[in-house]
Amino acid sequence: MEGDEQDTPLLPEAHREKHQTVHKAAVCCSSRYGLALLSCYAFFVVYSLRVNLSVAMVEMLNNTQKSSTNHSGSLCPAHNSPERPKHNQTASMYDWDSETQGWILGAFFYGYILTQIPGGYLASRCGPKWLLGLGVLGTVLFTLLTPLAANLGANYLFAVRVFEGIGEGVTYPAMYTMWAAWAPPLERSRLFSISYIGGQLGTVIALPLSGEICFYLDWTYVFYIFGAIGLFWFILWSFLAFDSPNTHPRISEEERIYINASLKDELAVSTNNIPWRAIVTSRPLWAIVVAHFSFNWSFYTLLTLLPTYMNDILGFSIQQNGMLSALPYLGCSIVAVLAGQFADYLRETCLYSTIRVRKAFTIVGMLFPALFLVATGYTGCNYILAITFLTLSSSLGGVASSGFNINHLDIAPSYAGILLSITNTFATIPGMVGPVIGRGLTRHNTLEEWQSVFYIAAAINVLGALVYTLFGEGKVQPWAIPLDSKRNI
């Protein structure tokens, strides 16, 4: 069949046969799944540090600023909430208008975009372990400085968030580089989805926990508590993570042989001569770029503005806000893991071609979320229906984790970190401009204004799915094949 021919790796027949018959090492207590859990924790940390400001921002505004968005005829009535406990409120509050809020919420991504491509390059040359570890550590330290920066002024807080983004910018390229050396091809979807769920869990836990912290303590503790969690992760990562199976001192010989044999014909021996021209002119890569950019537009729109929508439109308190804002990401985390299992099942057991699986999962993970996102704008003050549609939109987006999101490892496993750094550079732009555009379009917080925000995100999602379906590929690209394998063809 045509789809299956397209997916056939450009490798010698003998190598393909060896790749298929290699003995699979046990999953239980394995080093590769241990790495998956550590990377899950890593992404839990980076996403919790990324989103906690979205909830804290609601509480950082003083009463005058909050009253400027009191309910009018176009907004929903406030929901009953328990009386806040009496305690000493020592945290400062600020007079930031909608435009200033948008710039602060988007500041993270101005730093994040700067270290994407350098992160991919450095991970391939210097090793991903310490690059990722020190990047997250830097973000943690600047998170702990957030309350001080806010007291100094909005410009200082903007700068601190930019530096947080610089630290986090290396995390995904470094992790993709690490998985290129650790993930057997037929386990990629499973291992990647376990890593990916960390980001969703970080969002799921950080949003409600930030609300509870603001409710019972004050907003400054949001940054202190999550900063401490990040410091603990860095300690574990320093002692338990390793760049490759060959540098891991405690991995079993059976697992080391299994991983190395699985990847023998896919990984280049050296990345000193990176084929930059072939990479930047690769049509499959640009298909991923468009899909990644499009997916992140709706993802970052909800990530940064959903607590504001819950507060200003649906009328939920700070405590209710965090809990309800987390529901979409809880659904996404569950669906992402199930999708990873199902994707590998389709490829390994049902023998579906990689590209068919990637495209099918991308279509489901982008078109259906767009549909439910648009529907959310027409729920009015029916908050149950609004939350249901938002949850369905984000949950189905988790399917894309086994679609375009992992396709970097399919088309160029040796350069997966570099490819991810390129696509993530473009995919960071929505995080930079999305909150600014979103808050600019919702100055009066009317339902009609929010409908425009949802329509824009949905339309971009559909465009990304269409481009990827037309131009995506699932085979290892000729420029990414080791020279030794080419000589034997």
Side-chain angles (χ1 to χ4, degrees):
M1 298 177 68
E2 182 179 354
D4 294 325
E5 291 174 357
Q6 182 188 26
D7 194 45
T8 303
L10 300 176
L11 299 173
E13 188 65 32
H15 287 174
R16 289 201 300 270
E17 181 66 22
K18 183 176 182 180
H19 174 71
Q20 293 171 353
T21 58
V22 64
H23 177 67
K24 184 175 181 179
V27 170
C28 183
C29 300
S30 65
S31 296
R32 65 191 186 280
Y33 279 87
L35 176 63
L37 293 177
L38 267 180
S39 61
C40 177
Y41 186 3
F43 288 122
F44 170 88
V45 171
V46 298
Y47 268 83
S48 64
L49 299 183
R50 187 182 303 189
V51 306
N52 54 16
L53 180 63
S54 298
V55 175
M57 178 70 76
V58 176
E59 196 70 359
M60 292 165 74
L61 303 177
N62 65 26
N63 293 328
T64 303
Q65 177 65 20
K66 290 177 182 177
S67 66
S68 68
T69 58
N70 271 348
H71 303 293
S72 65
S74 62
L75 299 178
C76 308
H79 296 267
N80 294 327
S81 60
E83 184 179 351
R84 297 185 67 158
K86 293 184 175 17
H87 57 78
N88 295 325
Q89 267 283 2
T90 58
S92 302
M93 294 185 180
Y94 312 99
D95 294 316
W96 294 333
D97 58 20
S98 294
E99 184 178 1
T100 302
Q101 295 171 46
W103 281 106
I104 292 173
L105 289 171
F108 172 92
F109 300 99
Y110 284 85
Y112 191 69
I113 198 172
L114 295 177
T115 48
Q116 293 296 312
I117 293 178
Y121 177 75
L122 289 173
S124 66
R125 294 297 300 271
C126 307
K129 172 186 172 177
W130 288 111
L131 182 65
L132 190 153
L134 293 175
V136 176
L137 178 63
T139 304
V140 167
L141 295 178
F142 280 108
T143 295
L144 294 171
L145 292 174
T146 299
L148 174 62
N151 279 333
L152 293 174
N155 290 335
Y156 287 91
L157 179 56
F158 182 92
V160 163
R161 293 291 291 180
V162 169
F163 282 117
E164 287 184 43
I166 289 174
E168 274 197 30
V170 303
T171 54
Y172 269 101
M175 198 68 244
Y176 269 67
T177 300
M178 185 169 276
W179 277 130
W182 274 96
L186 293 179
E187 294 186 38
R188 281 176 184 155
S189 298
R190 295 187 187 96
L191 291 167
F192 182 83
S193 63
I194 293 173
S195 295
Y196 179 83
I197 196 179
Q200 304 302 319
L201 288 175
T203 307
V204 166
I205 294 175
L207 287 173
L209 185 55
S210 296
E212 294 294 330
I213 293 171
C214 288
F215 187 80
Y216 288 105
L217 299 172
D218 63 53
W219 63 263
T220 61
Y221 286 93
V222 169
F223 304 100
Y224 297 143
I225 291 173
F226 284 108
I229 293 173
L231 288 175
F232 181 68
W233 169 84
F234 179 75
I235 295 172
L236 294 179
W237 183 260
S238 299
F239 290 102
L240 300 178
F242 298 89
D243 285 328
S244 70
N246 294 328
T247 59
H248 197 303
R250 294 180 296 275
I251 189 175
S252 70
E253 192 62 23
E254 178 190 27
E255 185 178 10
R256 190 195 313 274
I257 293 173
Y258 165 59
I259 295 173
N260 288 336
S262 298
L263 298 171
K264 179 180 178 182
D265 297 317
E266 293 198 356
L267 289 178
V269 177
S270 172
T271 55
N272 290 330
N273 298 314
I274 299 171
W276 287 107
R277 181 170 181 174
I279 288 174
V280 299
T281 57
S282 172
R283 188 175 68 176
L285 172 62
W286 285 103
I288 301 174
V289 167
V290 175
H292 202 170
F293 175 94
S294 303
F295 180 87
N296 274 18
W297 188 284
S298 58
F299 180 79
Y300 285 143
T301 295
L302 291 182
L303 193 68
T304 55
L305 297 181
L306 188 54
T308 301
Y309 180 79
M310 292 287 187
N311 181 73
D312 293 350
I313 298 298
L314 299 182
F316 289 107
S317 69
I318 187 65
Q319 186 183 36
Q320 299 163 327
N321 195 326
M323 295 290 291
L324 295 173
S325 295
L327 284 178
Y329 302 101
L330 176 60
C332 185
S333 61
I334 295 172
V335 171
V337 171
L338 296 177
Q341 299 291 326
F342 188 47
D344 280 346
Y345 170 79
L346 291 175
R347 296 171 63 228
E348 186 175 11
T349 305
C350 301
L351 302 181
Y352 281 94
S353 66
T354 298
I355 190 55
R356 287 183 174 178
V357 173
R358 300 296 182 230
K359 287 183 177 180
F361 279 55
T362 297
I363 291 171
V364 173
M366 294 184 73
L367 293 187
F368 285 97
L371 177 65
F372 285 110
L373 196 57
V374 170
T376 300
Y378 291 92
T379 57
C381 288
N382 187 336
Y383 67 92
I384 295 178
L385 198 58
I387 293 170
T388 299
F389 284 165
L390 286 170
T391 301
L392 286 172
S393 179
S394 288
S395 297
L396 291 171
V399 176
S401 66
S402 296
F404 76 87
N405 220 348
I406 197 175
N407 196 213
H408 313 72
L409 286 166
D410 299 322
I411 66 173
S414 294
Y415 308 109
I418 293 174
L419 265 58
L420 187 277
S421 68
I422 294 172
T423 68
N424 217 20
T425 295
F426 288 93
T428 301
I429 296 173
M432 297 165 60
V433 301
V436 177
I437 293 175
R439 291 306 285 146
L441 290 173
T442 57
R443 293 180 186 275
H444 303 98
N445 282 315
T446 66
L447 292 172
E448 291 76 14
E449 288 176 337
W450 281 95
Q451 286 172 3
S452 299
V453 173
F454 295 148
Y455 263 120
I456 292 172
I460 294 174
N461 241 25
V462 171
L463 174 64
L466 177 62
V467 171
Y468 182 78
T469 301
L470 291 175
F471 301 111
E473 293 187 22
K475 64 184 179 183
V476 178
Q477 298 299 291
W479 47 265
I481 299 174
L483 293 176
D484 291 341
S485 294
K486 287 184 178 179
R487 294 191 188 103
N488 293 328
I489 294 179

